[in-house]
Amino acid sequence: MKILEDGICSIKSIKVSGYREGKYGVMVIYHENSTAAAVYTKNKVYAAPIDVTRKHIADGNISAIIVNSGNANCYTKEQGIENANKMAKIAADYLDIKVEDVAVASTGVIGRQMPMDILEPIAIKSLESLDNNREVANNAADAILTTDTVRKECAVEGQLEDGTKFRVAGLCKGSGMIAPNMGTMLGFITTDLEVPRDQLEAMLRESVKRSFNMVVVDGDQSTNDTVILMSTNEVKGEVDDNFKEALDYVCQSLAKQIAKDGEGAKHFLEVECSGARSEDDAITVARSVVSSSLVKSAIFGADPNWGRIITAMGYSGVDFDPDEVSISLIAGENKATIVDCGVVMTYEDPAILENAEAIMKNKDIRINVSLNDGDSTAVAYGCDLTYDYVKINAEYTT
């Protein structure tokens, strides 16, 4: 695969835009008559735009996505649905398309009505700047940020087994309220390859399972999570595993970027569970460790606390033998095996503990846990829990 530099605009036939004033922003992605699939939060309390988007995308076709930041439009009852439909209509009227062909997403404060008097002119200004270039790709990524500190994007060019070249490009936002089953994150992925709707949806769900659903910043599951995959259907070819590989790469890259930009984060954390009886077991154990507040605190404190790791594994609900577990800490080429088949190694060899402590001071840390009971593996992504996380969320408006 070839990494592309133009972000979401690497798909040259789409047009995007972004404009913001203060804490409010609006992003638009446009390509008429696209095939689309989506996944959403599993939170029982979900935002009004999800209700609207589910209906609009039900036939597998959309032409535009309009996204606002600054207000989540969640827990806003009938007025919230009306405002989500208004956002869709703003885009539809400007682009001269059916309102049913517009997907809607929102991110921001929960429980407040959308300030349409502020957002409508911002949306119009955004729509007026629709284009395809590096500048508008930046503007689009910036428009949907909330507590994020950096843009998050990824684009690649791949090749099918028959030699056909295709592209996959995406952007997302997310920094806090991130937990498995999608966190406060919005993701928008595009491809120029023609993919049948059923196949598009199945591939998206599989990719999300191994990427966005493996990210944990704070364990709070959001109300607004949405990932939409659009195909412009320009490139014809027999869809194969090479497309799946490219889609997985983009989704996992975006997921890692979310974890690295976790609210207040100082360290990026990967947790790999190997040697599990099934992939679901591996996923569950990896998520449990990366979700643990005590493990996250230990990462912040550069403490190689194997007790917290094995404890998080133990309450995951997965059946395994603790006396067979191995735990290693890794940073770059440096590795310290602190538990080997149930035996704590640091008691007999202080050098292992010293090395583990040195590893924990790195910015990027990997924890490998092996159940030594099978062939399945899964990787979860997260970050440490810091004083700044508490400060950011203590000062976030209610």
Side-chain angles (χ1 to χ4, degrees), residues 120-325:
E120 183 167 359
I122 292 175
I124 295 297
K125 288 179 180 178
S126 181
L127 284 157
E128 289 173 345
S129 65
L130 278 167
D131 207 339
N132 184 290
N133 55 55
R134 181 66 262 182
E135 182 180 359
V136 294
N138 290 345
N139 293 341
D142 288 342
I144 59 174
L145 303 183
T146 52
T147 56
D148 308 65
T149 64
V150 294
R151 303 173 188 131
K152 302 171 180 72
E153 60 182 10
C154 180
V156 298
E157 182 176 81
Q159 186 170 301
L160 300 177
E161 292 174 4
D162 64 9
T164 302
K165 290 184 178 180
F166 66 89
R167 293 184 170 194
V168 180
L171 60 79
C172 71
K173 65 82 52 188
S175 185
M177 202 179 279
I178 305 290
N181 296 326
M182 314 249 316
T184 230
M185 67 135 276
L186 304 176
F188 308 100
I189 303 162
T190 57
T191 181
D192 53 8
L193 181 64
E194 182 180 46
V195 185
R197 165 68 192 282
D198 291 348
Q199 200 171 0
L200 197 73
E201 184 170 30
M203 287 185 165
L204 176 62
R205 291 189 179 279
E206 282 299 306
S207 281
V208 166
K209 178 181 178 181
R210 296 181 177 89
S211 57
F212 298 116
N213 278 0
M214 296 302 286
V215 180
V216 184
V217 168
D218 50 19
D220 278 302
Q221 188 182 127
S222 169
T223 57
N224 287 61
D225 313 331
T226 303
V227 175
I228 298 175
L229 173 57
M230 294 174 62
S231 168
T232 63
N233 298 310
E234 298 163 87
V235 176
K236 314 297 181 182
E238 190 67 32
V239 180
D240 56 37
D241 285 346
N242 290 354
F243 173 72
K244 181 179 180 298
E245 181 183 354
L247 179 61
D248 286 348
Y249 182 91
V250 170
C251 289
Q252 288 172 8
S253 172
L254 294 174
K256 291 177 186 179
Q257 291 176 57
I258 289 172
K260 289 182 178 182
D261 192 35
E263 289 177 342
K266 306 298 182 186
H267 299 273
F268 170 63
L269 173 64
E270 287 190 22
V271 176
E272 179 183 66
C273 176
S274 60
R277 296 174 190 170
S278 68
E279 184 184 29
D280 285 345
D281 280 357
I283 286 172
T284 300
V285 171
R287 279 179 174 177
S288 189
V289 175
V290 86
S291 300
S292 167
S293 295
L294 289 178
V295 171
K296 288 174 173 292
S297 298
I299 298 297
F300 177 56
D303 177 12
N305 195 318
W306 54 89
R308 294 182 179 182
I309 297 169
I310 191 67
T311 298
M313 295 170 66
Y315 62 60
S316 68
V318 171
D319 183 29
F320 64 90
D321 184 351
D323 289 336
E324 295 297 324
V325 168

Side-chain angles (χ1 to χ4, degrees), residues 339-356:
V339 177
D340 188 10
C341 292
V343 178
V344 179
M345 304 301 292
T346 55
Y347 295 143
E348 296 182 2
D349 190 345
I352 294 178
L353 179 58
E354 290 178 9
N355 190 30

Side-chain angles (χ1 to χ4, degrees), residues 1 21 24 28 42 52 86-87 92 106 114 124-125 156-157 175 291 333 338 369:
M1 278 185 296
E21 292 181 1
Y24 297 106
V28 179
K42 294 184 180 179
V52 171
K86 282 182 180 178
M87 291 296 291
S106 298
M114 295 263 280
I124 295 297
K125 288 179 180 178
V156 298
E157 182 176 81
S175 185
S291 300
E333 299 297 319
I338 53 178
V369 299

